[in-house]
Amino acid sequence: MKKIESVLWGLVFIIIGLIIAGNVLGITNINIFFDGWWTLFIIIPCFIGLFKNIGRTGNIIGILIGIVLLLACQDILRFELVWKLLFPGILIIIGISFIFRDTIGGKITKEIKELNKNRIGTNEYCATFSEQNVKFDDDKFTGADLTAVFGGVKCDLRKAIIEENQIINATSIFGGIEIFVPEDVKVKIKSTPIFGGVSDKSNYSKEEQAHIIYINATCIFGGVEIR
């Protein structure tokens, strides 16, 4: 996937360079500063982001917003109407992403759905306008639901006992979640970012037989950081 992203970015810069060179030499007369040209800084990165393994929902939203703004700049849509519909449109998309986040996807989505179905016990931690620090020192970890709404949650699994694959459902809304994982496990991420995202800075195991911690993240103007 990274190779595809690099190729696409390379093509973008080559095309821009050819257009500028063609204009200078008089071969072409293409105005690259057309009305709404700045929306390409939204549309192009989001389009290339579709080729990543995670974060496609947020990129689709970005593309739609960029196209709508471009149409408004071209006087195809009225700016006044666009601004009025932008906020309710985002809310609708967020609602749809919540409803279908566990039903659309590939192998990781199926594995996450199966783990959530067979979970033993409920470890639920929510920070609303507050903070929560959770540690599983020498405790058996059986999965968790972490929610941060205008707040923060820290979940430390570095000394936890992990005997099989587990799932963490992390929802960050105008907040932040930090997850510290041990080095003897693998991490797989499924992310639904809407003006937010997941940052994976962990140094996890490369062993084939290592247990897997699945991170099922939804980030709405917030973030999830894995260390």
Side-chain angles (χ1 to χ4, degrees), residues 204-222:
Y204 47 82
S205 175
K206 302 297 188 295
E207 296 289 334
E208 287 294 328
Q209 302 303 318
H211 296 308
I212 301 170
I213 295 180
Y214 290 87
I215 310 294
N216 184 24
T218 299
C219 307
I220 302 172
F221 294 97

Side-chain angles (χ1 to χ4, degrees), residues 46-207:
C46 289
F47 174 76
I48 293 175
L50 292 176
F51 294 88
K52 295 181 180 179
N53 289 325
I54 60 175
R56 291 190 177 95
T57 302
N59 287 312
I60 291 172
I61 293 172
I63 291 171
L64 292 175
I65 291 174
I67 291 173
V68 169
L69 291 175
L70 177 59
L71 293 175
C73 290
Q74 294 288 323
D75 293 327
I76 297 174
L77 296 176
R78 289 189 296 118
F79 252 115
E80 182 183 356
L81 181 62
V82 169
W83 290 123
K84 287 181 179 179
L85 293 178
L86 186 61
F87 182 66
I90 290 174
L91 291 179
I92 292 170
I93 293 170
I94 289 172
I96 292 172
S97 70
F98 267 110
I99 294 171
F100 294 103
R101 69 172 182 171
D102 290 333
T103 58
I104 300 174
K107 184 179 178 181
I108 292 180
T109 299
K110 292 179 182 178
E111 291 168 347
I112 286 173
K113 190 174 181 180
E114 193 66 24
L115 284 171
N116 276 323
K117 181 180 178 182
N118 297 323
R119 269 180 62 183
I120 299 174
T122 55
N123 296 312
E124 298 181 357
Y125 305 94
C126 179
T128 304
F129 293 99
S130 62
E131 291 187 1
Q132 277 220 40
N133 294 316
V134 184
K135 285 189 176 183
F136 290 87
D137 289 355
D138 299 321
D139 293 330
K140 184 177 179 180
F141 180 68
T142 57
D145 293 337
L146 310 176
T147 304
V149 182
F150 291 97
V153 177
K154 290 184 180 180
C155 180
D156 193 341
L157 303 175
R158 287 174 290 188
K159 296 182 180 179
I161 300 171
I162 301 174
E163 298 178 341
E164 57 186 349
N165 295 348
Q166 297 296 345
I167 174 75
I168 296 177
N169 298 300
T171 302
S172 175
I173 303 174
F174 291 97
I177 296 175
E178 287 183 280
I179 303 171
F180 297 86
V181 298
E183 294 183 355
D184 60 345
V185 301
K186 290 184 177 182
V187 174
K188 290 188 178 182
I189 302 167
K190 177 181 178 292
S191 173
T192 304
I194 301 173
F195 301 105
V198 177
S199 174
D200 186 4
K201 299 179 180 178
S202 60
N203 183 26
Y204 47 82
S205 175
K206 302 297 188 295
E207 296 289 334

